[in-house]
Amino acid sequence: MTVTPTTASAELLVDAFGRIRETVHDAVDGLSPDELEVRIDDGANSIAWLVWHLTRIQDDHVADAAGTEQVWTAQGWYGRFGLPFRPDATGYGHSAKDVARLGGVTAELLSEYHDAVHDRTVAYLGTLADADLGRIVDEAWTPAVTLGVRLVSVISDDLQHAGQAAFVRGWLERP
């Protein structure tokens, strides 16, 4: 999706989310469902779970900030994935057993869902003015969370998980 951000802040955020997208694609492209499910040990996360989780968090948080339904449910991704989780599950708080239950997904499905969330995110970012970043989006924290802080938090979390997925892929490809 092409967006022309109206502010330097939006341009910076679009760039950051674009880097996440690139890392996600690099981590999953060409891997089989079995490879995507590999876990370094029984307590570790798989590439599939990491990418699903980071995308679910982005979808959840951006939809909440934008006041829209999540791509996960609005575009039927919940049904396409067919996972044994509730529709509102994002992976937050999942146990090692829950991670093991995420299986049978393809690289294409993960990439396509991530791309759909990325497109929605970029479209939303294109509507923001700098002043919007100071809007309070979550009063459950002290201090209350602004939109800008929420978006940076999502970027930070996503980059960490995408990096973990890239690490697992590198581990898989070692001779």
Side-chain angles (χ1 to χ4, degrees), residues 1 14-29 51 54-55 58 110-119 122 158-159 162:
M1 164 175 250
V14 166
D15 181 75
F17 281 104
R19 291 170 191 247
I20 294 162
R21 182 183 175 278
E22 290 171 13
T23 305
V24 162
H25 278 268
D26 289 345
V28 304
D29 285 351
V51 170
L54 75 85
T55 307
Q58 182 176 330
L110 288 164
S111 293
E112 289 169 6
Y113 173 50
H114 187 82
D115 288 350
V117 171
H118 175 79
D119 289 350
V122 168
D158 280 4
L159 283 173

Side-chain angles (χ1 to χ4, degrees), residues 85-155:
F85 309 130
R86 295 180 1 199
D88 63 345
T90 63
Y92 182 78
H94 270 186
S95 68
K97 287 182 181 180
D98 293 326
V99 171
R101 292 172 59 205
L102 195 150
V105 299
T106 65
E108 293 78 16
L109 188 64
L110 288 164
S111 293
E112 289 169 6
Y113 173 50
H114 187 82
D115 288 350
V117 171
H118 175 79
D119 289 350
R120 173 76 66 86
T121 300
V122 168
Y124 174 62
L125 295 174
T127 70
L128 298 179
D130 286 342
D132 295 325
L133 299 176
R135 177 173 57 89
I136 302 296
V137 296
D138 190 347
E139 294 184 359
W141 300 90
T142 303
V145 178
T146 64
L147 176 59
V149 168
R150 176 59 46 87
L151 293 170
V152 168
S153 174
V154 170
I155 290 165

Side-chain angles (χ1 to χ4, degrees), residues 45 47 49-50 157-169:
N45 297 323
I47 294 170
W49 186 89
L50 287 161
D157 186 65
D158 280 4
L159 283 173
Q160 289 178 63
H161 289 315
Q164 292 166 354
F167 171 82
V168 175
R169 181 177 183 135

Side-chain angles (χ1 to χ4, degrees), residues 30-114:
L31 294 181
S32 70
D34 288 342
E35 290 169 318
L36 291 166
E37 290 177 40
V38 168
R39 297 163 66 197
I40 292 174
D41 65 37
D42 290 342
N45 297 323
S46 66
I47 294 170
W49 186 89
L50 287 161
V51 170
W52 171 80
H53 167 63
L54 75 85
T55 307
R56 287 293 298 121
I57 291 294
Q58 182 176 330
D59 191 5
D60 175 77
H61 287 25
V62 172
D64 182 60
T68 61
E69 184 179 353
Q70 293 177 30
V71 170
W72 183 245
T73 52
Q75 295 181 12
W77 292 100
Y78 173 71
R80 288 183 219 174
F81 272 75
L83 298 175
F85 309 130
R86 295 180 1 199
D88 63 345
T90 63
Y92 182 78
H94 270 186
S95 68
K97 287 182 181 180
D98 293 326
V99 171
R101 292 172 59 205
L102 195 150
V105 299
T106 65
E108 293 78 16
L109 188 64
L110 288 164
S111 293
E112 289 169 6
Y113 173 50
H114 187 82

